[in-house]
Amino acid sequence: MPDLFIGVDVGTGSARAGVFGANGALLGTARHDIRLWREDGGIAEQSSRDIWTAVGASVRQAMKAAGAAAEDVKGIGFDATCSLVVVGPEGTGLAVGSSDDPERDIIVWMDHRAVEQTRRINAGGHAVLRFVGGALSPEMQTPKLLWLKEKRRDVFDTAEHFFDLADYLSFRATGSEARSVCTLTCKWTYLAHEGRWDADYFRAIGLEELADEGFRRIGTQVAAIGAPLGAGLTPEAASAFGLRPGTPVGASAIDAHAGGIGTLGAGAEGSAPDPAAQMALIMGTSSCAMAVTREPAFVDGVWGPYRDALLPGYWLLEGGQSAYGAALDHLVSMHPASPAARDAAQAQGIALLDHLERRACETAGSPEEAARLAATLHVVPEFLGNRSPEADPAARGAISGLGLDTGEASLVALFVAGLCGLSYGTARIVEAMRAEGAGLGTIIVSGGAARSRLTRRILADATGLDVALPQTSEPVLLGSAMIGAVAAGRFPGLSAAAAAMGGIGEAIAPNPALAPFHAAKRRAHDILRKAERAVRAAQPEPLRQA
């Protein structure tokens, strides 16, 4: 069998593995669920042991599906959510919350326990904040570390390592303590363009211990994405995966960034356009909108610019929405017709959102006209805050135009309004990036929502940009497989891997006839968004529970 490469993706709800050929062909995939603990107060925790078990099972099953033997696999790459893994003595997990359960040793990316720490850090006006759009998010790692120090000092002091989940996977696979430039730069305030941590920043925010110890616990070895780590898979990891010891492992990436690697820089029929003309939009539980520029561009409320954090030689801008698929699921679940619609979807063997899309297109006559179903219904779906371009974690969802209708037709209209609201949020990110010099012409979408033609149609019309699908059905897994291929020396770098293994498929152009409709809805959306901010500023203090 020709040389094969494995990509492993750990998302919020599952671990997945994909086996790819050197031409980017997907030969086999597998998926295993992972556990998520949710509690009031924005708490979300996971288990590194549970995730590692799911990763091993996924790799083995994907290998079986591909009909591949261990000797066929020449490299492996990992990506994961930007969750914080706390590792104690001899690799043991440490409890990160009030459960005191050492199995719960991960603060998940979406955890918002550190909102107060984030507020205090942002109020300091530190120089490093210039490279995160002016303000940190509670999804990032230094606020979480400060929360641990202040609320779980015993855990903070006992910890031997603090890892981004993607780096934990490569550490577990190889024993190498090297961190990826992708994770450290995008989520930990590492200044990749200067090759250093800012010790003054850590001392100023109250994490002086990390600076005093020379940043030993958060990373002193920084590797380029795809750089081979250690001696490859350890015997223990190889046994868990059913692969050969020594199989090359590349320095990892954040999950959304792996999607960017798997999509940017590849064109139709093997062409290689300038990746600076494209934006990768990865639509999952949250969304991540990534663009690269040749020179640093500073965009308020958009993370970055980050040097070499996605493609070598480029600066990365990273926007997104804290809730995307999760916002749509939450929105439709609130409608009284949702249970009956879910039953109808199950009877057809499809998901609820797929059923609602089908009904929207049937009612309107086509995907092109479906947006008009939400002409008088407007949604700002910021149920988990505004990640960008406002960087306001306290923002909340708002709906205007609700009546007393309880039938499926009003549920379908609410669903379409939610799609419009999400697309207008993306449009604001696009506009913020373009205003500072990003030359965006095409949005390349991936993730679960990218399968939806209606989503792609509304997104194109709302942003005025072409919206394209990648050729592969699994761009995030492909991006991680590219990391493995670079680590194995099959390609000299990520750009070469993207040109050889990637490709762009079907594209949807914006419909000029719908521009006035979306301009009017966009004005309503902006009014509603500003009203939510005004109401929040005027509202009384809520009840504080012990």
mmCIF file of all heavy atoms in Angstrom, residues 419-452:
data_model
loop_
_atom_site.group_PDB
_atom_site.id
_atom_site.type_symbol
_atom_site.label_atom_id
_atom_site.label_comp_id
_atom_site.label_asym_id
_atom_site.label_seq_id
_atom_site.Cartn_x
_atom_site.Cartn_y
_atom_site.Cartn_z
ATOM 1 N N LEU A 419 -29.694 31.292 11.234
ATOM 2 C CA LEU A 419 -28.651 31.214 10.209
ATOM 3 C C LEU A 419 -28.250 32.608 9.738
ATOM 4 O O LEU A 419 -27.058 32.897 9.542
ATOM 5 C CB LEU A 419 -29.134 30.381 9.019
ATOM 6 C CG LEU A 419 -29.279 28.877 9.227
ATOM 7 C CD1 LEU A 419 -29.782 28.229 7.941
ATOM 8 C CD2 LEU A 419 -27.957 28.241 9.643
ATOM 9 N N CYS A 420 -29.247 33.468 9.531
ATOM 10 C CA CYS A 420 -28.943 34.838 9.115
ATOM 11 C C CYS A 420 -28.124 35.554 10.190
ATOM 12 O O CYS A 420 -27.120 36.214 9.887
ATOM 13 C CB CYS A 420 -30.228 35.610 8.834
ATOM 14 S SG CYS A 420 -31.117 35.092 7.354
ATOM 15 N N GLY A 421 -28.535 35.420 11.449
ATOM 16 C CA GLY A 421 -27.805 36.083 12.526
ATOM 17 C C GLY A 421 -26.372 35.631 12.631
ATOM 18 O O GLY A 421 -25.451 36.441 12.816
ATOM 19 N N LEU A 422 -26.138 34.325 12.507
ATOM 20 C CA LEU A 422 -24.766 33.815 12.529
ATOM 21 C C LEU A 422 -23.969 34.354 11.349
ATOM 22 O O LEU A 422 -22.787 34.710 11.486
ATOM 23 C CB LEU A 422 -24.783 32.283 12.506
ATOM 24 C CG LEU A 422 -25.302 31.603 13.771
ATOM 25 C CD1 LEU A 422 -25.524 30.116 13.534
ATOM 26 C CD2 LEU A 422 -24.341 31.807 14.944
ATOM 27 N N SER A 423 -24.579 34.435 10.183
ATOM 28 C CA SER A 423 -23.889 34.925 8.986
ATOM 29 C C SER A 423 -23.566 36.410 9.105
ATOM 30 O O SER A 423 -22.510 36.859 8.647
ATOM 31 C CB SER A 423 -24.740 34.659 7.747
ATOM 32 O OG SER A 423 -24.896 33.266 7.535
ATOM 33 N N TYR A 424 -24.450 37.186 9.721
ATOM 34 C CA TYR A 424 -24.149 38.604 9.908
ATOM 35 C C TYR A 424 -23.009 38.783 10.909
ATOM 36 O O TYR A 424 -22.209 39.715 10.779
ATOM 37 C CB TYR A 424 -25.396 39.357 10.380
ATOM 38 C CG TYR A 424 -26.559 39.265 9.412
ATOM 39 C CD1 TYR A 424 -27.873 39.235 9.872
ATOM 40 C CD2 TYR A 424 -26.351 39.184 8.042
ATOM 41 C CE1 TYR A 424 -28.942 39.136 8.998
ATOM 42 C CE2 TYR A 424 -27.414 39.076 7.154
ATOM 43 C CZ TYR A 424 -28.707 39.043 7.634
ATOM 44 O OH TYR A 424 -29.754 38.933 6.758
ATOM 45 N N GLY A 425 -22.937 37.891 11.889
ATOM 46 C CA GLY A 425 -21.789 37.927 12.794
ATOM 47 C C GLY A 425 -20.491 37.661 12.062
ATOM 48 O O GLY A 425 -19.470 38.325 12.299
ATOM 49 N N THR A 426 -20.509 36.696 11.136
ATOM 50 C CA THR A 426 -19.320 36.425 10.332
ATOM 51 C C THR A 426 -19.000 37.616 9.444
ATOM 52 O O THR A 426 -17.820 37.971 9.247
ATOM 53 C CB THR A 426 -19.529 35.172 9.469
ATOM 54 O OG1 THR A 426 -19.806 34.047 10.317
ATOM 55 C CG2 THR A 426 -18.298 34.871 8.629
ATOM 56 N N ALA A 427 -20.040 38.261 8.893
ATOM 57 C CA ALA A 427 -19.815 39.420 8.027
ATOM 58 C C ALA A 427 -19.102 40.540 8.775
ATOM 59 O O ALA A 427 -18.238 41.229 8.212
ATOM 60 C CB ALA A 427 -21.149 39.918 7.474
ATOM 61 N N ARG A 428 -19.434 40.729 10.035
ATOM 62 C CA ARG A 428 -18.758 41.768 10.819
ATOM 63 C C ARG A 428 -17.287 41.443 11.004
ATOM 64 O O ARG A 428 -16.430 42.343 10.981
ATOM 65 C CB ARG A 428 -19.436 41.922 12.186
ATOM 66 C CG ARG A 428 -20.868 42.440 12.096
ATOM 67 C CD ARG A 428 -21.437 42.723 13.490
ATOM 68 N NE ARG A 428 -20.767 43.844 14.097
ATOM 69 C CZ ARG A 428 -20.262 43.865 15.324
ATOM 70 N NH1 ARG A 428 -20.340 42.785 16.090
ATOM 71 N NH2 ARG A 428 -19.690 44.940 15.803
ATOM 72 N N ILE A 429 -16.964 40.164 11.174
ATOM 73 C CA ILE A 429 -15.559 39.762 11.297
ATOM 74 C C ILE A 429 -14.824 40.007 9.983
ATOM 75 O O ILE A 429 -13.699 40.538 9.960
ATOM 76 C CB ILE A 429 -15.467 38.283 11.714
ATOM 77 C CG1 ILE A 429 -16.071 38.077 13.100
ATOM 78 C CG2 ILE A 429 -14.017 37.805 11.693
ATOM 79 C CD1 ILE A 429 -16.289 36.630 13.476
ATOM 80 N N VAL A 430 -15.447 39.623 8.868
ATOM 81 C CA VAL A 430 -14.847 39.846 7.548
ATOM 82 C C VAL A 430 -14.561 41.329 7.333
ATOM 83 O O VAL A 430 -13.473 41.722 6.891
ATOM 84 C CB VAL A 430 -15.765 39.305 6.438
ATOM 85 C CG1 VAL A 430 -15.299 39.783 5.064
ATOM 86 C CG2 VAL A 430 -15.819 37.787 6.479
ATOM 87 N N GLU A 431 -15.532 42.162 7.646
ATOM 88 C CA GLU A 431 -15.374 43.600 7.437
ATOM 89 C C GLU A 431 -14.261 44.175 8.304
ATOM 90 O O GLU A 431 -13.493 45.035 7.849
ATOM 91 C CB GLU A 431 -16.695 44.306 7.718
ATOM 92 C CG GLU A 431 -17.768 44.008 6.686
ATOM 93 C CD GLU A 431 -19.172 44.342 7.138
ATOM 94 O OE1 GLU A 431 -19.334 44.843 8.267
ATOM 95 O OE2 GLU A 431 -20.109 44.086 6.347
ATOM 96 N N ALA A 432 -14.157 43.697 9.545
ATOM 97 C CA ALA A 432 -13.095 44.181 10.429
ATOM 98 C C ALA A 432 -11.719 43.805 9.889
ATOM 99 O O ALA A 432 -10.777 44.610 9.923
ATOM 100 C CB ALA A 432 -13.294 43.621 11.832
ATOM 101 N N MET A 433 -11.591 42.586 9.374
ATOM 102 C CA MET A 433 -10.311 42.148 8.812
ATOM 103 C C MET A 433 -9.976 42.913 7.535
ATOM 104 O O MET A 433 -8.833 43.363 7.344
ATOM 105 C CB MET A 433 -10.358 40.645 8.530
ATOM 106 C CG MET A 433 -10.361 39.751 9.759
ATOM 107 S SD MET A 433 -10.351 37.998 9.267
ATOM 108 C CE MET A 433 -10.275 37.182 10.862
ATOM 109 N N ARG A 434 -10.946 43.077 6.657
ATOM 110 C CA ARG A 434 -10.694 43.761 5.390
ATOM 111 C C ARG A 434 -10.346 45.228 5.612
ATOM 112 O O ARG A 434 -9.547 45.809 4.866
ATOM 113 C CB ARG A 434 -11.904 43.634 4.469
ATOM 114 C CG ARG A 434 -12.183 42.206 4.037
ATOM 115 C CD ARG A 434 -13.329 42.108 3.060
ATOM 116 N NE ARG A 434 -12.903 42.346 1.689
ATOM 117 C CZ ARG A 434 -13.701 42.252 0.640
ATOM 118 N NH1 ARG A 434 -14.974 41.943 0.804
ATOM 119 N NH2 ARG A 434 -13.236 42.467 -0.561
ATOM 120 N N ALA A 435 -10.904 45.832 6.652
ATOM 121 C CA ALA A 435 -10.619 47.231 6.934
ATOM 122 C C ALA A 435 -9.157 47.455 7.304
ATOM 123 O O ALA A 435 -8.635 48.572 7.132
ATOM 124 C CB ALA A 435 -11.518 47.732 8.068
ATOM 125 N N GLU A 436 -8.490 46.406 7.774
ATOM 126 C CA GLU A 436 -7.082 46.523 8.151
ATOM 127 C C GLU A 436 -6.153 45.854 7.137
ATOM 128 O O GLU A 436 -4.997 45.572 7.450
ATOM 129 C CB GLU A 436 -6.866 45.923 9.545
ATOM 130 C CG GLU A 436 -7.646 46.624 10.637
ATOM 131 C CD GLU A 436 -7.299 48.106 10.761
ATOM 132 O OE1 GLU A 436 -6.148 48.475 10.439
ATOM 133 O OE2 GLU A 436 -8.177 48.891 11.171
ATOM 134 N N GLY A 437 -6.674 45.563 5.931
ATOM 135 C CA GLY A 437 -5.792 45.136 4.854
ATOM 136 C C GLY A 437 -5.854 43.686 4.458
ATOM 137 O O GLY A 437 -5.137 43.279 3.540
ATOM 138 N N ALA A 438 -6.686 42.874 5.117
ATOM 139 C CA ALA A 438 -6.802 41.474 4.695
ATOM 140 C C ALA A 438 -7.531 41.422 3.352
ATOM 141 O O ALA A 438 -8.630 41.947 3.213
ATOM 142 C CB ALA A 438 -7.553 40.656 5.740
ATOM 143 N N GLY A 439 -6.924 40.784 2.364
ATOM 144 C CA GLY A 439 -7.481 40.771 1.013
ATOM 145 C C GLY A 439 -8.369 39.578 0.764
ATOM 146 O O GLY A 439 -8.047 38.713 -0.058
ATOM 147 N N LEU A 440 -9.485 39.499 1.454
ATOM 148 C CA LEU A 440 -10.336 38.309 1.402
ATOM 149 C C LEU A 440 -11.242 38.343 0.181
ATOM 150 O O LEU A 440 -11.910 39.344 -0.084
ATOM 151 C CB LEU A 440 -11.181 38.219 2.676
ATOM 152 C CG LEU A 440 -10.392 38.244 3.998
ATOM 153 C CD1 LEU A 440 -11.349 38.167 5.171
ATOM 154 C CD2 LEU A 440 -9.398 37.103 4.039
ATOM 155 N N GLY A 441 -11.281 37.206 -0.543
ATOM 156 C CA GLY A 441 -12.157 37.082 -1.691
ATOM 157 C C GLY A 441 -13.030 35.845 -1.654
ATOM 158 O O GLY A 441 -14.090 35.812 -2.269
ATOM 159 N N THR A 442 -12.573 34.823 -0.928
ATOM 160 C CA THR A 442 -13.304 33.561 -0.848
ATOM 161 C C THR A 442 -13.285 33.052 0.582
ATOM 162 O O THR A 442 -12.256 33.098 1.253
ATOM 163 C CB THR A 442 -12.671 32.497 -1.764
ATOM 164 O OG1 THR A 442 -12.684 32.956 -3.109
ATOM 165 C CG2 THR A 442 -13.433 31.180 -1.686
ATOM 166 N N ILE A 443 -14.443 32.584 1.058
ATOM 167 C CA ILE A 443 -14.522 31.899 2.343
ATOM 168 C C ILE A 443 -14.575 30.403 2.070
ATOM 169 O O ILE A 443 -15.427 29.935 1.310
ATOM 170 C CB ILE A 443 -15.784 32.320 3.127
ATOM 171 C CG1 ILE A 443 -15.771 33.818 3.399
ATOM 172 C CG2 ILE A 443 -15.881 31.545 4.435
ATOM 173 C CD1 ILE A 443 -17.043 34.327 4.065
ATOM 174 N N ILE A 444 -13.654 29.663 2.650
ATOM 175 C CA ILE A 444 -13.641 28.207 2.519
ATOM 176 C C ILE A 444 -14.169 27.631 3.823
ATOM 177 O O ILE A 444 -13.580 27.835 4.886
ATOM 178 C CB ILE A 444 -12.236 27.679 2.218
ATOM 179 C CG1 ILE A 444 -11.654 28.380 0.995
ATOM 180 C CG2 ILE A 444 -12.279 26.168 1.980
ATOM 181 C CD1 ILE A 444 -10.200 28.081 0.760
ATOM 182 N N VAL A 445 -15.310 26.960 3.743
ATOM 183 C CA VAL A 445 -16.001 26.516 4.948
ATOM 184 C C VAL A 445 -15.755 25.038 5.215
ATOM 185 O O VAL A 445 -15.603 24.235 4.293
ATOM 186 C CB VAL A 445 -17.525 26.777 4.842
ATOM 187 C CG1 VAL A 445 -17.804 28.265 4.807
ATOM 188 C CG2 VAL A 445 -18.130 26.102 3.623
ATOM 189 N N SER A 446 -15.713 24.705 6.482
ATOM 190 C CA SER A 446 -15.600 23.303 6.889
ATOM 191 C C SER A 446 -16.291 23.147 8.228
ATOM 192 O O SER A 446 -16.735 24.114 8.841
ATOM 193 C CB SER A 446 -14.131 22.876 6.979
ATOM 194 O OG SER A 446 -13.425 23.685 7.900
ATOM 195 N N GLY A 447 -16.397 21.916 8.683
ATOM 196 C CA GLY A 447 -17.143 21.618 9.893
ATOM 197 C C GLY A 447 -18.530 21.122 9.545
ATOM 198 O O GLY A 447 -18.947 21.107 8.385
ATOM 199 N N GLY A 448 -19.273 20.712 10.573
ATOM 200 C CA GLY A 448 -20.578 20.095 10.347
ATOM 201 C C GLY A 448 -21.545 20.974 9.590
ATOM 202 O O GLY A 448 -22.247 20.511 8.679
ATOM 203 N N ALA A 449 -21.610 22.263 9.919
ATOM 204 C CA ALA A 449 -22.568 23.157 9.260
ATOM 205 C C ALA A 449 -22.224 23.410 7.804
ATOM 206 O O ALA A 449 -23.086 23.835 7.029
ATOM 207 C CB ALA A 449 -22.647 24.480 10.019
ATOM 208 N N ALA A 450 -20.979 23.163 7.409
ATOM 209 C CA ALA A 450 -20.580 23.407 6.024
ATOM 210 C C ALA A 450 -21.303 22.480 5.053
ATOM 211 O O ALA A 450 -21.386 22.776 3.851
ATOM 212 C CB ALA A 450 -19.067 23.233 5.874
ATOM 213 N N ARG A 451 -21.833 21.363 5.547
ATOM 214 C CA ARG A 451 -22.579 20.451 4.672
ATOM 215 C C ARG A 451 -23.875 21.080 4.174
ATOM 216 O O ARG A 451 -24.440 20.654 3.164
ATOM 217 C CB ARG A 451 -22.923 19.164 5.433
ATOM 218 C CG ARG A 451 -21.734 18.335 5.870
ATOM 219 C CD ARG A 451 -22.189 17.066 6.563
ATOM 220 N NE ARG A 451 -22.900 17.340 7.802
ATOM 221 C CZ ARG A 451 -24.214 17.265 7.951
ATOM 222 N NH1 ARG A 451 -24.993 16.925 6.928
ATOM 223 N NH2 ARG A 451 -24.791 17.520 9.120
ATOM 224 N N SER A 452 -24.360 22.083 4.869
ATOM 225 C CA SER A 452 -25.648 22.687 4.566
ATOM 226 C C SER A 452 -25.543 23.669 3.406
ATOM 227 O O SER A 452 -24.873 24.694 3.513
ATOM 228 C CB SER A 452 -26.183 23.406 5.808
ATOM 229 O OG SER A 452 -27.215 24.307 5.475
#
